[in-house]
Amino acid sequence: IVEVVKHPVEPYVGHLQFDTLTDPFFTHIKASFFAAIFVTFPIIIWQIWAFVGPGLYKREKRLMWPFLLFSFPLFVGGGSFCYFVVFPFAVQFLVNFDKTLVPSLRIGDYLSFVLTMTFVFGMVFELPLISLLLTRVGLLTPEWLSKYRRYAIVIIFVVAAILTPPDVVSQIALALPMCLLYWAGILFSQFAVRRRKEREVAADAPEAG
């Protein structure tokens, strides 16, 4: 796991370093801990659902099923996009920003950076699903999302600047997918409203015979 985490940066800086005696040990413990949470996430979600599900109404259960089915694949997609697309550009830009400086990266700091970025991208990719869920409970409408899309784009770039390292590449690499996912959220919201109207029409239609 640690070798996979180190792979994007080692071609540029060589071997990562540590400055405290316990760093190598706790780095492996930390990597194993988060990998265990990642791998068992579907089981964790299922166990939470098994506890909460019996206390919900049928309508509430229907609202939660898309989240249960698609939250993990979307999170994996966001983390994979970060690792395979964003990291190579971000690492290359940051390491070569000032070639008069010699990189000397600590393994603990680098691991925290990787985990933070992966988690952020994973959560960002949940935006369409969150839009769908909020629309189905009546808190969002596709009209509202479309009306405030310009403000949303500005907020997205500000949030991307806060969540990513202080470089333009990482900010744009996070902001552009967020903008695309915002538009995907509008489409998901429109789909939820259309399905709700279809159910209402079907419920109001007179029974045959």
Side-chain angles (χ1 to χ4, degrees), residues 82-105:
C82 179
Y83 181 82
F84 291 106
V85 179
V86 177
F87 273 164
F89 290 103
V91 169
Q92 184 177 7
F93 176 82
L94 293 172
V95 171
N96 296 319
F97 183 76
D98 188 346
K99 294 186 177 181
T100 63
L101 302 176
V102 179
S104 176
L105 300 182

Side-chain angles (χ1 to χ4, degrees), residues 15 25 44 68 94 105 114 121 159 164 185 187-188 209:
H15 294 292
F25 174 77
I44 295 173
L68 295 173
L94 293 172
L105 300 182
V114 172
F121 273 83
V159 171
T164 56
L187 297 177
F188 275 55

Side-chain angles (χ1 to χ4, degrees), residues 56-203:
L56 299 178
Y57 294 105
K58 288 185 178 181
R59 179 178 178 274
E60 294 170 336
K61 290 181 179 180
R62 288 198 302 268
L63 293 177
M64 292 303 299
W65 271 113
F67 182 81
L68 295 173
L69 293 175
F70 298 110
S71 60
F72 185 67
L74 286 173
F75 186 86
V76 172
S80 300
F81 177 80
C82 179
Y83 181 82
F84 291 106
V85 179
V86 177
F87 273 164
F89 290 103
V91 169
Q92 184 177 7
F93 176 82
L94 293 172
V95 171
N96 296 319
F97 183 76
D98 188 346
K99 294 186 177 181
T100 63
L101 302 176
V102 179
S104 176
L105 300 182
R106 293 176 63 248
I107 181 62
D109 293 339
Y110 175 72
L111 181 62
S112 298
F113 168 78
V114 172
L115 293 175
T116 300
M117 290 288 291
T118 303
F119 179 79
V120 168
F121 273 83
M123 293 304 298
V124 164
F125 271 61
E126 303 283 350
L127 283 176
L129 196 59
I130 294 174
S131 298
L132 174 63
L133 186 62
L134 293 178
T135 301
R136 295 186 69 176
V137 299
L139 297 179
L140 275 183
T141 64
E143 293 79 15
W144 187 91
L145 291 172
S146 298
K147 179 180 179 181
Y148 292 100
R149 62 185 182 276
R150 295 180 180 177
Y151 300 99
I153 292 174
V154 175
I155 294 174
I156 283 172
F157 274 88
V158 172
V159 171
I162 295 173
L163 295 178
T164 56
D167 68 276
V168 178
V169 175
S170 298
Q171 179 186 1
I172 295 177
L174 179 59
L176 290 181
M178 288 178 70
C179 292
L180 294 176
L181 290 167
Y182 185 86
W183 284 101
I186 296 176
L187 297 177
F188 275 55
S189 181
Q190 291 173 344
F191 172 77
V193 170
R194 185 166 61 250
R195 287 295 302 273
R196 185 171 60 201
K197 290 180 178 179
E198 290 175 355
R199 288 194 298 267
E200 291 174 352
V201 170

Side-chain angles (χ1 to χ4, degrees), residues 40-54 68:
T40 60
F41 185 78
I43 301 175
I44 295 173
I45 291 295
W46 179 256
Q47 291 298 319
I48 294 174
W49 173 253
F51 177 76
V52 176
L68 295 173

